[in-house]
Amino acid sequence: GETARILSFRAENGADGKRQTKQGRAGKDITVRVPPGTVVQEEIAPSTDGSEPGYLDLGTITRSNPVLVVASGGAFGEGSAAERLQRGVRRARVSPQGGERKRLKLTLKVVADVALVAVPNAGKSTLLSRVTRAKPKVADYPFTTVVPNLGVWVPNDLSAYDSDVDYDEDGDPSSSSSSLILCDVPGLISGASEGVGLGHAFLRHVERCHVILHLLDATSDKVLDEYAMINRELLNYGTGKLASMPQVVVVNKLDVAFDRAEDGRGDGAFSSREDLESELRSVMPHSRLMWMSAKEGDGVDDLMERVSMFVKKVKDATAAEERRRRTEAHEDS
């Protein structure tokens, strides 16, 4: 399940009024600092039977909108001085009103350009460690990644000192940035969209990415089934938004995939790259298919250069669509 901690925050109470009709000092606001990308929701329907409570979206913290007021303070009451100002029939003094109390859910969605998605042990962490300075755990067994890992890829013609990432007004990496932020999501298994396995708790991070890098293990006997399963889980998660995100399919482990012994035995269901490519292209709804060996580095540089250009294209198209919607909304108003 998702990692959750319950914390309580309370603003300072105001001070009482003083003599000579002096008002009391207002209480100080309380500010809770959270990173950009934090989604704030208010619980409006508490859980009674163990099901998920109902939530109302209050907003998202971004670099362009870094402040969100979620609860207002109370109102001061009237003191004895108010009675002296009354004429005729006297009314009761107004009592102080308490501030708002809310139960909130804060969810951090990682801000990244590219999400690495695959079944366990497909080589996501190996790729991340190859193209960035990130040091995720890499081992020859599944579920080595248990939390999302982030890394920044820098083009070969830039130095490490030029790797700063630019952000747009919504806090997302800007299309003008030469670098890419990659997010390695824990491996997905069948039923992940319904909460099975480790990946479900982190699929929300994929929603804020621009492109999905869908890694396939060429040594797997069920590579086509795994490809279909991942896409099915993306479709079934949440509103189905993940299924409509642009994908680049990358077949990994070419260094060992098609090695066959004299008796025909070897890793993987396919004996040649051509056979696997033919089957993949018959089920893929797009033509973005690439090949690499993350361990040996073969094809990695070409992959990242092409992904970088594709991400920029997607960002530019998204920005243009957003500008069009805002213009139409302004004209309608």
Side-chain angles (χ1 to χ4, degrees):
E2 300 186 18
T3 302
R5 292 187 299 166
I6 298 178
L7 301 176
S8 178
F9 300 92
R10 182 172 181 167
E12 181 185 41
N13 288 330
D16 294 333
K18 301 292 180 68
R19 292 183 177 182
Q20 299 178 343
T21 67
K22 292 181 179 180
Q23 292 185 345
R25 176 179 56 82
K28 294 181 180 179
D29 295 338
I30 185 168
T31 301
V32 181
R33 298 176 63 87
V34 297
T38 299
V39 178
V40 183
Q41 297 174 300
E42 178 187 357
E43 183 180 301
I44 57 176
S47 174
T48 56
D49 56 358
S51 60
E52 180 73 9
Y55 291 102
L56 173 67
D57 286 340
L58 299 183
T60 301
I61 303 298
T62 64
R63 284 178 169 79
S64 60
N65 297 293
V67 178
L68 180 66
V69 178
V70 297
S72 299
F76 57 83
E78 293 179 331
S80 58
E83 297 178 348
R84 296 200 298 268
L85 301 177
Q86 297 180 26
R87 295 176 180 269
V89 180
R90 298 199 173 190
R91 59 173 175 78
R93 287 181 285 174
V94 177
S95 300
Q97 304 297 315
E100 293 180 312
R101 297 168 60 93
K102 294 185 178 180
R103 187 179 177 90
L104 305 176
K105 178 182 179 182
L106 306 183
T107 306
L108 175 63
K109 292 186 177 180
V110 171
V111 179
D113 295 302
V114 179
L116 307 182
V117 175
V119 298
N121 207 32
K124 303 185 307 301
S125 297
T126 301
L127 174 62
L128 187 69
S129 63
R130 166 71 65 173
V131 301
T132 74
R133 293 185 175 184
K135 301 299 180 185
K137 182 177 181 180
V138 178
D140 189 22
Y141 55 85
F143 300 113
T144 51
T145 301
V146 295
V147 295
N149 293 302
L150 291 177
V152 178
W153 170 80
V154 182
N156 291 330
D157 56 352
L158 291 181
S159 69
Y161 298 101
D162 297 323
S163 62
D164 290 342
V165 179
D166 298 324
Y167 293 88
D168 62 21
E169 61 180 9
D170 293 324
D172 294 328
S174 169
S175 61
S176 63
S177 177
S178 299
S179 303
L180 288 181
I181 302 178
L182 281 68
C183 177
D184 172 17
V185 180
L188 302 179
I189 61 176
S190 181
S193 60
E194 301 173 355
V196 178
L198 298 173
H200 168 265
F202 307 107
L203 274 175
R204 65 178 183 271
H205 298 306
V206 181
E207 292 181 307
R208 293 210 65 187
C209 298
H210 294 279
V211 171
I212 293 177
L213 209 59
H214 187 160
L215 266 67
L216 297 177
D217 181 357
T219 66
S220 172
D221 292 331
K222 301 178 179 179
V223 60
L224 294 179
D225 292 338
E226 291 168 351
Y227 169 75
M229 183 273 293
I230 292 291
N231 286 326
R232 186 169 60 250
E233 296 304 323
L234 295 177
L235 176 63
N236 293 337
Y237 179 78
T239 61
K241 173 186 174 182
L242 298 183
S244 62
M245 290 181 61
Q247 272 195 33
V248 176
V249 178
V250 183
V251 182
N252 189 28
K253 303 186 181 181
L254 291 185
D255 52 316
V256 293
F258 307 114
D259 293 339
R260 295 282 171 175
E262 293 182 0
D263 57 3
R265 294 181 180 179
D267 291 331
F270 294 88
S271 58
S272 70
R273 169 173 166 170
E274 291 73 21
D275 291 343
L276 177 55
E277 180 173 359
S278 175
E279 291 295 329
L280 280 174
R281 291 198 180 279
S282 68
V283 296
M284 287 172 53
H286 56 82
S287 60
R288 296 181 293 273
L289 175 63
M290 299 197 68
W291 307 77
M292 71 168 185
S293 168
K295 181 179 179 181
E296 301 298 329
D298 296 336
V300 171
D301 289 341
D302 183 43
L303 167 67
M304 295 309 302
E305 293 290 346
R306 290 175 178 267
V307 168
S308 176
M309 291 187 290
F310 184 54
V311 169
K312 187 179 187 308
K313 180 180 178 181
V314 171
K315 285 183 178 181
D316 289 341
T318 302
E321 177 64 20
E322 182 61 27
R323 287 193 297 269
R324 184 188 65 81
R325 284 200 299 262
R326 290 177 179 175
T327 300
E328 291 180 351
H330 178 72
E331 291 175 351
D332 293 340
S333 60

